[in-house]
Amino acid sequence: MEMATVRHRPEALELLEAQSKFTKKELQILYRGFKNPIFLSFFECPSGVVNEETFKEIYSQFFPQGDSTTYAHFLFNAFDTDHNGSVSFEDFVMGLSILLRGTVQEKLNWAFNLYDINKDGCITKEEMLDIMKAIYDMMGKCTYPVLKEDAPRQHVETFFQKMDKNKDGVVTIDEFIESCQKDENIMRSMQLFENVI
Amino acid sequence: MAAGVAAWLPFARAAAIGWMPVANCPMPLAPADKNKRQDELIILNVSGRRFQTWRTTLERYPDTLLGSTEKEFFFNEDTKEYFFDRDPEVFRCVLNFYRTGKLHYPRYECISAYDDELAFYGILPEIIGDCCYEEYKDRKRENAERLMDDNDSENNQESLPSLSFRQTMWRAFENPHTSTLALVFYYVTGFFIAVSVITNVVETVPCGTVPGNKELPCGERYAVAFFCLDTACVMIFTVEYLLRLFAAPSRYRFIRSVMSIIDVVAIMPYYIGLVMTDNEDVSGAFVTLRVFRVFRIFKFSRHSQGLRILGYTLKSCASELGFLLFSLTMAIIIFATVMFYAEKGSSASKFTSIPASFWYTIVTMTTLGTGNMVPATLAGSVFKSCCSVASVESIALPVLENISSFRRLYHQFQLSDKYRSQKKARLARIRVAKTGSSNAYLHSKRNGLLNEALELTGSPEDEHMTKTTSLIESQHHHLLHCLEKTTNHEFIDEQMFEQNCMESSMQNYPSTRSPSLSSHPGLTTSCCSRRSKKTTHLPNSNLPATRLRSMQELSTIHIQGSEQPSLTTSRSSLNLKADDGLRPNCKGSQITTAIISIPTPPALTPEGESRPPPCSPGPTTNIPPVGSNIVKVSAL
């Protein structure tokens, strides 16, 4: 069985290697997983890109108890940097490169971008509430203690208390990064997934 | 976790970074990838034919033989390959399943051989792809039926040790070859059935004349003789029926079976005739009843296997026959109506009504053409010719059934219903798999917590517990654990959730419930908070107290152990905040299935780190439960 990359070595591989922080071998592993979404018995995946439905399907496999479609939607938008409705392998690699190999600054930037739904440079309470609700949705119904209606809202209040320094009701990127860098827990947890690949 | 998604787990874990800034608690440590190896090609030698694939390809399905460590049993150290002494043809399908996620069933393969191979490799046949699933199911059913028949005939050859008299009789009835007596009985009844049928027939033949120039049928001439024959036959049949009824293992089922109904119908007319006197009014009806005596001929089907098979065949293609009948009926109605209205104008028309023209249409369509009715008008003739032409085509209808396109369309429509029902079953199975995976998480959580507790108390045993889950599973569980930490809620299973709901509704009585309700957000905010948020401790303390009371009422008790957010590195940080009384607030309740060995806080520090008991320092709380962990025996 010959390795696929020996036969077709696309230009993009070397380019990607230069742009991202992955080695060639890691890119190969990633590409194999990306190109062969083998659980998609319900969808036809056009070659080389993943659309939002697929994305949601993938993500929901990991969270069986709750509903992860909303969060997957936000995640999709975060990965789909050129906003063309599909995530190509390049988008995928660049996103993962930041998440797994990037500096803490870059990761925080990425997280800010995720929370900033309309990409206007600041996170409002409404945006954060959407994100928070999406995260809580993933827990599902059967939780202990019982999930209250206002749990996301309370959580958003906590978040804003911590992050919004000048109390103007929005969190800008600078406030966000500054607050996160002060929080030990967050800094430590940012490095949690470094050895994932 | 559902199969095949393992490849995307790294992505899901990376995306979890999105939760980190939102979370308030430190995250658990990621499971260490102890033997991290680069992806490598592995060689699978199946009876000499070598297959190669990536290790990660096989690990996509960790609950199969090839995907788990079970394949290590087949590792050949000398040749550094995995050797399987199995069929390479089927292995091709199995390996393609790992590669593409679709399991196919090759048509040339024997179904039981295929099943054996799948069982060996730990793959469930249910995941066969839609393209091959029909074929697989059909073949499997055929095979099962054949095996059942074989088993039946086999069982009949054996002599079973001890049967009751009744069971012996039943076996004798069902299978005449078991004993001589049964054989005799079989032939005797057969003979009498034949006699009875012949009698019925001969009864009506005119034989000879009687003075008076009237031809009498034999039945009336030798009435007594025929009556005696009839009586004898009916007696034999009655005795047989009663014996069968007695011997039947399930009398109710026997009464409902087709053969017994035939038996009853065969002998009923005689008894009804006995009961009824020679009354003129009912004798007409009585004569009609005698018709049913012809049903005795069906009793032969017990004696003839071919007849039974014919019956089964008819039953099995009942739908096709029904379709044929329906289409013919439609055609008949259409043509009859047309002929009737066409002939209505003519005065000498024999087509007096539509039902009257039914007969004509049927005669025409079956190309009989008796000729007793003819159309009188021109229009009628035209329609009649159309009908004749159409009738020729109607003969072709059964042939039509064999035309490939018809079969294809027909089966397609039939199959689409089957697919829909199968799809529902498939989705149900997927749902089960999903709950299975979530249950796996909960299960491993309980085990994992027990392990953590054990490790912390320094007990040396049971390292192997941590290895029961594969790396991918543990990574997945870590991911779920991070989510729990982010939202400060835990996953529990449905049962417990119901219990908790019950309890919470029971707790509406104590008035302290409401402050504790409002303390729930306080709970989340106080998690990992600094000293300033002490005031929320008090309501929190009430919660366990009330729970204690109500729980004793309900006699369900939980183990609440305090939880270490992570094993090693955060212990030092925990010390920094130890005098916060932080721990009991921060997700103070964990429910485990372990009985007693959950350690209380002092025992959590066997290394002798000086940790002030949470009660003593500054905080002005009078919380007895905070200091101790409420240890109760779980009713799980």
Side-chain angles (χ1 to χ4, degrees):
Chain A
M1 183 170 126
E2 40 193 336
M3 292 173 23
T5 49
V6 171
R7 259 192 297 129
H8 343 273
R9 186 185 287 260
E11 299 270 75
L13 178 63
E14 280 150 346
L15 195 62
L16 277 179
E17 192 194 0
Q19 281 178 348
S20 74
K21 303 196 172 85
F22 292 117
T23 65
K24 275 216 181 76
K25 228 169 160 33
E26 290 167 338
L27 282 173
Q28 283 175 2
I29 295 175
L30 278 176
Y31 190 66
R32 283 210 305 270
F34 186 82
K35 188 90 166 117
N36 195 1
I38 58 182
F39 52 89
L40 292 177
S41 46
F42 304 114
F43 301 102
E44 288 303 317
C45 180
S47 61
V49 294
V50 173
N51 60 9
E52 191 168 336
E53 281 307 309
T54 315
F55 213 81
K56 288 182 174 166
E57 178 75 22
I58 295 170
Y59 214 67
S60 69
Q61 297 284 345
F62 294 108
F63 300 99
Q65 278 201 326
D67 171 29
S68 52
T69 43
T70 329
Y71 188 69
H73 166 74
F74 293 132
L75 210 53
F76 183 81
N77 287 337
F79 269 88
D80 183 18
T81 41
D82 46 2
H83 303 290
N84 60 352
S86 60
V87 168
S88 66
F89 184 61
E90 282 79 12
D91 295 334
F92 184 62
V93 163
M94 296 317 294
L96 276 189
S97 167
I98 294 175
L99 287 173
L100 300 177
R101 301 289 162 93
T103 64
V104 177
Q105 181 92 0
E106 288 172 346
K107 290 182 193 176
L108 289 173
N109 259 326
W110 190 91
F112 186 85
N113 191 38
L114 174 70
Y115 301 147
D116 185 12
I117 298 178
N118 55 2
K119 316 284 178 232
D120 63 352
C122 50
I123 307 177
T124 63
K125 278 197 181 167
E126 284 71 31
E127 288 175 336
M128 204 57 219
L129 188 60
D130 287 339
I131 299 269
M132 203 62 77
K133 277 198 192 139
I135 295 179
Y136 273 79
D137 279 344
M138 285 198 283
M139 289 295 294
K141 191 182 60 135
C142 300
T143 59
Y144 178 78
V146 178
L147 211 48
K148 301 278 184 300
E149 278 298 315
D150 59 347
R153 182 167 287 281
Q154 290 292 335
H155 207 149
V156 170
E157 293 298 330
T158 321
F159 180 78
F160 266 77
Q161 270 174 350
K162 197 162 46 165
M163 301 280 168
D164 189 10
K165 293 292 180 233
N166 56 0
K167 308 287 174 217
D168 59 352
V170 295
V171 175
T172 61
I173 178 76
D174 302 311
E175 287 177 334
F176 181 71
I177 293 186
E178 195 191 326
S179 314
C180 286
Q181 281 175 336
K182 288 212 196 108
D183 187 335
E184 256 188 57
N185 280 334
I186 295 180
M187 296 307 283
R188 202 182 9 251
S189 54
M190 280 297 183
Q191 276 141 13
L192 199 55
F193 294 111
E194 298 224 306
N195 60 345
V196 165
I197 296 231
Chain B
M1 185 164 54
V5 199
W8 288 77
L9 186 59
F11 153 71
R13 299 180 71 212
I17 288 190
W19 309 332
M20 301 301 155
V22 170
N24 297 317
C25 297
M27 290 289 148
L29 264 193
D33 194 355
K34 293 196 179 65
N35 37 1
K36 180 154 170 71
R37 4 157 231 267
Q38 289 294 342
D39 198 16
E40 51 182 5
L41 281 177
I42 65 174
I43 303 176
L44 302 159
N45 182 349
V46 183
S47 304
R49 205 152 108 183
R50 279 179 175 72
F51 296 87
Q52 284 182 307
T53 183
W54 297 107
R55 185 175 288 276
T56 47
T57 308
L58 292 183
E59 285 170 357
R60 282 183 189 150
Y61 298 95
D63 51 352
T64 58
L65 185 151
L66 291 172
S68 64
T69 51
E70 199 181 338
K71 64 178 181 286
E72 303 300 327
F73 284 106
F74 298 93
F75 188 66
N76 186 343
E77 291 290 343
D78 307 324
T79 52
K80 293 276 180 274
E81 56 187 26
Y82 293 88
F83 179 72
F84 296 95
D85 201 9
R86 313 285 304 191
D87 185 4
E89 299 293 325
V90 180
F91 189 77
R92 208 172 47 81
C93 299
V94 167
L95 196 53
N96 275 335
F97 165 62
Y98 285 90
R99 291 175 181 146
T100 61
K102 292 207 194 124
L103 182 61
H104 294 281
Y105 169 60
R107 272 145 222 248
Y108 55 82
E109 202 64 50
C110 164
I111 186 81
S112 50
Y114 188 71
D115 268 344
D116 286 341
E117 294 294 314
L118 284 189
F120 177 79
Y121 293 109
I123 297 174
L124 291 177
E126 267 75 28
I127 49 183
I128 291 184
D130 283 332
C131 40
C132 299
Y133 196 63
E134 275 308 309
E135 175 83 19
Y136 174 79
K137 270 280 179 248
D138 286 342
R139 294 273 294 262
K140 190 136 189 201
R141 204 176 351 115
E142 271 179 39
N143 201 39
E145 282 171 4
R146 198 177 319 135
L147 281 180
M148 221 164 48
D149 285 343
D150 285 348
N151 267 346
D152 278 346
S153 56
E154 248 186 51
N155 281 339
N156 291 331
Q157 308 305 344
E158 310 159 6
S159 52
L160 302 167
S162 60
L163 291 175
S164 72
F165 173 64
R166 187 173 150 188
Q167 281 170 324
T168 332
M169 261 178 67
W170 181 248
R171 268 189 74 217
F173 280 135
E174 291 298 302
N175 230 341
H177 301 283
T178 47
S179 69
T180 332
L181 189 60
L183 211 55
V184 164
F185 185 76
Y186 177 74
Y187 281 125
V188 161
T189 46
F191 172 68
F192 273 98
I193 294 174
V195 161
S196 156
V197 168
I198 292 175
T199 316
N200 286 343
V201 168
V202 169
E203 220 173 36
T204 58
V205 168
C207 51
T209 57
V210 146
N213 283 340
K214 207 164 105 172
E215 281 230 350
L216 277 179
C218 291
E220 289 183 22
R221 186 144 173 211
Y222 303 103
V224 178
F226 278 104
F227 183 72
C228 291
L229 266 179
D230 205 21
T231 314
C233 295
V234 169
M235 262 175 35
I236 300 273
F237 295 151
T238 316
V239 164
E240 182 206 352
Y241 181 71
L242 289 174
L243 281 179
R244 275 183 204 263
L245 188 63
F246 168 68
S250 159
R251 297 217 172 107
Y252 179 62
R253 208 156 51 97
F254 174 72
I255 291 181
R256 283 193 313 173
S257 72
V258 176
M259 289 310 303
S260 85
I261 291 178
I262 291 179
D263 287 340
V264 168
V265 167
I267 59 181
M268 259 319 151
Y270 177 78
Y271 287 109
I272 295 180
L274 275 187
V275 166
M276 283 204 254
T277 56
D278 266 314
N279 200 342
E280 274 301 317
D281 303 329
V282 293
S283 68
F286 171 61
V287 165
T288 324
L289 270 181
R290 293 180 121 209
V291 159
F292 284 100
R293 291 188 304 172
V294 80
F295 273 85
R296 288 177 195 168
I297 206 172
F298 283 113
K299 288 165 69 77
F300 264 132
S301 64
R302 274 217 187 91
H303 297 251
S304 156
Q305 190 143 21
L307 263 183
R308 276 208 295 274
I309 291 177
L310 184 62
Y312 290 144
T313 315
L314 283 177
K315 212 164 46 160
S316 67
C317 56
S319 65
E320 272 88 6
L321 286 179
F323 164 68
L324 190 55
L325 196 64
F326 177 68
S327 54
L328 272 180
T329 313
M330 253 178 40
I332 289 171
I333 293 178
I334 290 174
F335 277 112
T337 315
V338 164
M339 287 305 297
F340 172 71
Y341 281 112
E343 291 290 307
K344 203 163 177 206
S346 154
S347 55
S349 164
K350 292 219 182 86
F351 298 83
T352 49
S353 64
I354 293 188
S357 31
F358 273 167
W359 163 246
Y360 175 73
T361 317
I362 291 175
V363 161
T364 312
M365 285 200 81
T366 54
T367 70
L368 268 183
T370 53
N372 60 342
M373 286 158 88
V374 283
T377 61
L378 175 64
S381 309
V382 166
F383 286 124
K384 178 206 181 298
S385 4
C386 289
C387 184
S388 305
V389 168
S391 72
V392 169
E393 302 219 349
S394 80
I395 292 176
L397 258 180
V399 179
L400 185 77
E401 294 223 314
N402 284 324
I403 293 181
S404 57
S405 57
F406 175 78
R407 284 185 84 85
R408 198 166 29 91
L409 286 172
Y410 190 60
H411 282 126
Q412 213 171 4
F413 283 114
Q414 259 188 342
L415 284 177
S416 69
D417 291 334
K418 256 202 251 182
Y419 274 148
R420 239 173 280 133
S421 59
Q422 256 181 29
K423 196 141 221 178
K424 268 190 236 157
R426 286 271 180 88
L427 289 176
R429 260 180 272 134
I430 289 175
R431 244 177 282 129
V432 165
K434 275 196 171 178
T435 51
S437 73
S438 63
N439 285 341
Y441 173 59
L442 296 167
H443 185 70
S444 80
K445 212 170 54 149
R446 295 191 196 123
N447 286 340
L449 281 171
L450 181 56
N451 289 334
E452 286 178 22
L454 285 176
E455 281 178 13
L456 286 171
T457 54
S459 62
E461 71 243 19
D462 287 329
E463 271 290 314
H464 71 83
M465 279 277 271
T466 52
K467 297 215 174 77
T468 48
T469 54
S470 69
L471 180 66
I472 291 193
E473 286 234 356
S474 56
Q475 285 176 342
H476 185 217
H477 296 165
H478 172 248
L479 186 65
L480 292 173
H481 204 178
C482 286
L483 182 59
E484 285 186 340
K485 282 302 182 83
T486 310
T487 56
N488 265 319
H489 291 72
E490 285 170 37
F491 288 109
I492 50 174
D493 57 33
E494 283 235 19
Q495 218 185 1
M496 297 257 293
F497 181 65
E498 308 289 325
Q499 250 177 354
N500 290 347
C501 285
M502 239 174 32
E503 284 167 15
S504 64
S505 62
M506 291 275 297
Q507 277 170 10
N508 279 328
Y509 296 119
S511 58
T512 50
R513 176 65 185 158
S514 30
S516 56
L517 256 180
S518 63
S519 82
H520 266 282
L523 199 73
T524 58
T525 55
S526 71
C527 179
C528 313
S529 62
R530 309 274 146 61
R531 289 179 189 241
S532 50
K533 301 254 174 145
K534 290 284 163 45
T535 49
T536 54
H537 288 184
L538 191 52
N540 179 38
S541 74
N542 281 334
L543 186 53
T546 53
R547 284 179 86 87
L548 184 54
R549 250 181 280 131
S550 59
M551 274 194 270
Q552 277 166 355
E553 288 172 55
L554 288 177
S555 75
T556 54
I557 357 186
H558 301 272
I559 292 185
Q560 293 178 352
S562 80
E563 197 232 8
Q564 292 282 42
S566 63
L567 279 178
T568 48
T569 60
S570 58
R571 200 177 284 158
S572 50
S573 69
L574 209 58
N575 274 336
L576 293 176
K577 302 181 190 169
D579 45 4
D580 257 356
L582 140 79
R583 237 181 313 103
N585 282 345
C586 174
K587 292 173 42 70
S589 41
Q590 287 284 356
I591 300 166
T592 72
T593 53
I595 303 294
I596 304 292
S597 58
I598 298 300
T600 53
L604 280 170
T605 60
E607 287 75 15
E609 301 168 49
S610 64
R611 170 177 294 216
C615 274
S616 59
T620 55
T621 60
N622 38 356
I623 319 162
V626 168
S628 67
N629 284 319
I630 305 166
V631 180
K632 297 167 198 143
V633 177
S634 164
L636 288 170

